[in-house]
Amino acid sequence: GIRTYSAFKHTYADWEERKTNYNSKGTFSKLVNYKNLDDLQKRIDPYTFRVRTEECVDLPSKIYETREVELGSSQRRVYQDLINEGVAALVDEQGKKQTPEDALLAMLMNEVPTVEVNNALTLLLRCQQVLGNWAVDNDGNMHQIEKTNRRLNTLLETLQEVDGQTIVWARFRHELAEIEEALDKQGYTVVSYHGGVDSQQRQEAVEKFQNGEAQIFLGNPQAGGIGLNLTAATVMIFYSSDFSLDT
């Protein structure tokens, strides 16, 4: 009964036009509150059915565990250099130099008008890569910082402690390649699911994992974090994460 998305949007919610923080000319619509939800419920009732997870399956509670990995000396140096270089030119409103941590936060909160948010996000991206033992050189090439990747070793140790099939998520393509090579050497059967794998191979990876033909499902959260039903897994490991709340 509602012909356009715009009409639907304004029938069931109130919106306000707001200006963006980083662009005085940019605007966006902010949801203020919902309305007419009883009418919406009546419209969708004939086509919907709701059941809670606990009403249809008997699953054990999830157990969360964090493994801390100490940076190597070279990693720590590169990481600190990144932070220092990235915020060296920033000063607070009184002209006093800030700590690197405070300056980085100011960049992210867009409290420094001369610094674009993208610069801060790029800095965070580089820092995350360093945590995984990777860095970008002046020519734009990716290379390993230390000979021994402590995070990778911790992953391998963790896999030896768990039973059943396991999902391993990693953010960066170079991490996925490194992990897959290490798992192959350890004798694990691995299937990969990321942007470099075509749709047919992705489907085959899911089927092999679900059928028990693969011990490890290695993927990128952006490629497979939503919509996959990997019920064969008993353990899920986040080797590295992005900032998406979906995963």
Side-chain angles (χ1 to χ4, degrees), residues 185-227:
K185 290 180 179 179
Q186 293 285 324
Y188 290 100
T189 52
V190 184
V191 292
S192 296
Y193 193 108
H194 52 74
V197 178
D198 64 41
S199 57
Q200 181 177 347
Q201 291 175 315
R202 291 188 192 187
Q203 184 58 39
E204 291 174 355
V206 172
E207 292 174 359
K208 286 182 179 180
F209 186 75
Q210 288 292 90
N211 294 335
E213 299 175 45
Q215 297 167 277
I216 308 291
F217 184 95
L218 178 61
N220 178 289
Q222 290 179 314
I226 300 175

Side-chain angles (χ1 to χ4, degrees), residues 103-116:
L104 178 58
L105 182 61
M107 291 170 67
L108 289 171
M109 298 301 293
N110 200 39
E111 295 173 357
V112 185
T114 58
V115 177
E116 294 183 2

